[in-house]
């Protein structure tokens, strides 16, 4: 059998490999802008990111606001919200997967702001519940504990007894002594930040102590560059705090994500974040309402309701955290083995 060699095809293949493959490799992990939009309701908000070992993908959980519901009245579109899941292999490109299957007895419950962590092979979600679908904001909210083995099916464990009947936005962090601390927003006390402690993630004792007096929500606590940090959504960008003892928090002068960016869907303030530490880098996942620009102030339309998830890299300089949201983000998240 005679083998015919096409020298031109071989030459073209070599040229492609030498010139273009390196360029493709360089751009493969450049984050999308926006990072993600929900394909069902177009209202993704309050992201939290975690590695799914079984599927070998990163999962992003988010409040799935019903931005495109034309029949909703008042703020009912922010209620009756499922928890959406997006998936990614590297953190740069995300696709819609499904919503969480939550085993909770209350029908027509509203699900807000999940915080998801893993401990000893079990996933734990701390989820804000509003007991119904309402057209205004004047209703109770509380936080429940759910567990899962696959990040898809969630079993109810308990309702946490916290400082008031209006507590939202859990953020759980493991303290140096091995115990766990949950920071949350107590809306009854001027929307300030409180905390509760647990030795095992199941039994919680509320300290009934205000640790951040400033108005804010969506606290996120993490350790980076040898310091303990908290970032909160203050509706004017994100405030940044540092602490040595996890009780006394000092606010840095400047907020981050306060000045609108220039990228697609990113020309407004950033809101309710998650922070992922990967190697020596820190990435902030946040959401925007792209239509909430000055000329749309006071309007309630699909354009002002819809929201997008965005990504930026944090920078540590002179003891403070900064964020240059318009810079291209190269990200290839590596999971801990």
């Amino acid at each position: 059998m005679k083998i015919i060699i096409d020298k031109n095809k071989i030459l073209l293949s070599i040229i492609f490999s030498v010139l273009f493959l390196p360029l493709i490799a360089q751009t493969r992990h450049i984050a999308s802008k926006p990072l993600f939009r929900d394909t069902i309701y177009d209202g993704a908000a309050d992201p939290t990111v975690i590695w799914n070992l079984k599927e070998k993908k990163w999962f992003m959980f988010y409040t799935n606001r019903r931005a495109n519901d034309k029949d909703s009245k008042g703020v009912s579109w922010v209620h009756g919200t499922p928890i959406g899941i997006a998936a990614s292999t590297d953190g740069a490109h995300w696709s819609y997967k499904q919503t969480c299957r939550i085993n909770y007895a209350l029908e027509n419950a509203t699900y807000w702001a999940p915080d998801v962590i893993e401990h000893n092979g079990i996933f734990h979600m701390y989820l804000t519940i509003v007991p119904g679908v309402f057209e205004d904001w004047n209703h109770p909210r509380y936080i429940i504990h759910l567990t899962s083995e696959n990040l898809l099916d969630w079993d109810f464990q308990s309702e946490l007894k916290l400082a008031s009947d209006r507590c939202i936005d859990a953020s759980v962090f493991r303290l140096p002594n091995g115990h766990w601390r949950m920071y949350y927003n107590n809306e009854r006390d001027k929307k300030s930040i409180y905390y509760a402690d647990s030795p095992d993630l199941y039994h919680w004792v509320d300290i009934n102590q205000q640790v951040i007096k400033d108005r804010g929500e969506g606290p996120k606590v993490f350790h980076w560059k040898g310091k303990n940090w908290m970032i909160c959504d203050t509706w004017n960008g994100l405030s940044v705090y540092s602490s040595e003892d996890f009780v006394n928090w000092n606010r840095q002068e400047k907020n981050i994500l306060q000045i609108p960016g220039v990228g697609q869907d990113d020309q407004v303030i950033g809101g309710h974040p998650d922070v992922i530490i990967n190697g020596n880098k820190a990435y902030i996942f946040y959401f925007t309402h792209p239509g909430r620009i000055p000329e749309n102030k006071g309007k309630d339309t699909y354009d002002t309701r819809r929201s997008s998830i965005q990504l930026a890299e944090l920078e540590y300089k002179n003891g403070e955290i900064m964020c240059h949201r318009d810079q291209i983000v190269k990200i290839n998240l590596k999971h801990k083995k």
Side-chain angles (χ1 to χ4, degrees):
M1 180 178 179
K2 187 176 180 180
I3 299 176
I4 299 175
I5 299 176
D6 190 330
K7 294 182 179 180
N8 290 331
K9 287 185 177 180
I10 293 175
L11 180 60
L12 287 173
S13 178
I14 293 173
I15 292 173
F16 179 82
S17 299
V18 172
L19 295 181
F20 295 104
L21 285 182
L23 293 176
I24 293 173
Q26 290 178 14
T27 59
R28 183 174 55 187
H29 300 301
I30 292 178
S32 302
K33 194 73 170 182
L35 188 68
F36 175 75
R37 286 177 65 176
D38 175 70
T39 57
I40 307 301
Y41 293 123
D42 207 9
D46 314 332
T48 185
V49 176
I50 192 168
W51 173 251
N52 186 328
L53 179 61
K54 291 183 179 179
E55 297 204 13
K56 293 182 171 53
K57 290 182 179 180
W58 294 91
F59 273 22
M60 179 196 300
F61 295 81
Y62 57 92
T63 307
N64 206 0
R65 296 173 173 179
R66 298 179 294 111
N68 58 10
D69 185 350
K70 297 179 181 179
D71 297 325
S72 64
K73 298 179 181 179
V75 293
S76 62
W77 64 278
V78 187
H79 294 76
T81 45
I83 298 301
I85 306 173
S88 172
T89 57
D90 60 1
H93 309 289
W94 296 80
S95 59
Y96 176 80
K97 183 175 179 62
Q98 64 178 74
T99 56
C100 291
R101 294 186 288 265
I102 295 175
N103 180 18
Y104 187 56
L106 182 63
E107 294 185 5
N108 298 320
T110 292
Y111 300 146
W112 284 350
D115 189 43
V116 182
I117 64 170
E118 182 274 335
H119 180 57
N120 291 337
I122 300 295
F123 296 101
H124 300 260
M125 179 188 291
Y126 296 91
L127 181 65
T128 299
I129 297 290
V130 185
V133 178
F134 304 104
E135 297 179 16
D136 57 49
W137 302 108
N138 301 317
H139 302 276
R141 306 90 150 78
Y142 51 89
I143 294 171
I144 65 171
H145 175 205
L146 303 147
T147 58
S148 174
E149 294 184 358
N150 61 10
L151 286 172
L152 303 174
D153 302 282
W154 293 88
D155 294 323
F156 173 76
Q157 298 297 326
S158 68
E159 176 185 333
L160 277 61
K161 304 302 180 183
L162 301 175
S164 77
D165 63 339
R166 290 176 63 95
C167 294
I168 65 172
D169 297 355
S171 175
V172 176
F173 181 81
R174 195 169 196 182
L175 299 171
N177 65 6
H179 286 198
W180 302 86
R181 178 158 295 174
M182 175 191 295
Y183 296 89
Y184 65 91
N185 170 239
N186 181 4
E187 293 191 315
R188 288 294 187 194
D189 190 4
K190 304 175 183 178
K191 289 191 70 68
S192 56
I193 305 301
Y194 275 55
Y195 73 93
D197 284 343
S198 172
D200 58 7
L201 293 171
Y202 290 87
H203 304 89
W204 292 89
V205 176
D206 193 279
I207 308 303
N208 199 24
Q209 179 178 340
Q210 182 188 77
V211 290
I212 301 291
K213 296 180 180 180
D214 307 321
R215 285 174 52 83
E217 61 186 23
K220 180 62 186 181
V221 177
F222 57 99
H223 183 81
W224 185 51
K225 299 295 184 181
K227 298 180 69 173
N228 306 311
W229 303 97
M230 181 189 295
I231 294 180
C232 293
D233 183 354
T234 52
W235 315 287
N236 188 26
L238 307 178
S239 56
V240 181
Y241 305 83
S242 60
S243 175
E244 294 184 358
D245 60 6
F246 297 97
V247 175
N248 299 288
W249 294 87
N250 300 308
R251 184 172 181 172
Q252 73 179 40
E253 181 180 357
K254 294 182 178 180
N255 287 1
I256 62 173
L257 299 175
Q258 180 180 20
I259 300 174
V262 299
Q264 183 176 346
D265 281 7
D266 204 27
Q267 299 172 31
V268 291
I269 59 172
H272 195 126
D274 190 19
V275 175
I276 296 297
I277 309 300
N278 211 243
N280 64 348
K281 293 181 177 292
Y283 300 97
I284 186 164
F285 295 75
Y286 60 98
F287 83 96
T288 61
H289 280 291
R292 295 189 180 181
I293 53 180
E295 48 265 45
N296 286 337
K297 187 175 182 179
K299 296 181 180 179
D300 181 22
T301 65
Y302 164 68
D303 286 334
T304 61
R305 290 178 177 184
R306 79 171 185 89
S307 52
S308 298
I309 305 297
Q310 303 281 1
L311 176 69
E313 186 174 343
L314 297 179
E315 181 182 349
Y316 179 75
K317 189 174 182 180
N318 298 326
E320 295 190 341
I321 282 180
M322 296 182 293
C323 182
H324 302 289
R325 68 197 298 176
D326 292 326
Q327 291 183 354
I328 292 174
V329 179
K330 294 182 179 180
I331 181 172
N332 186 15
L333 292 179
K334 303 295 184 182
H335 68 278
K336 295 180 181 179
K337 296 181 180 180

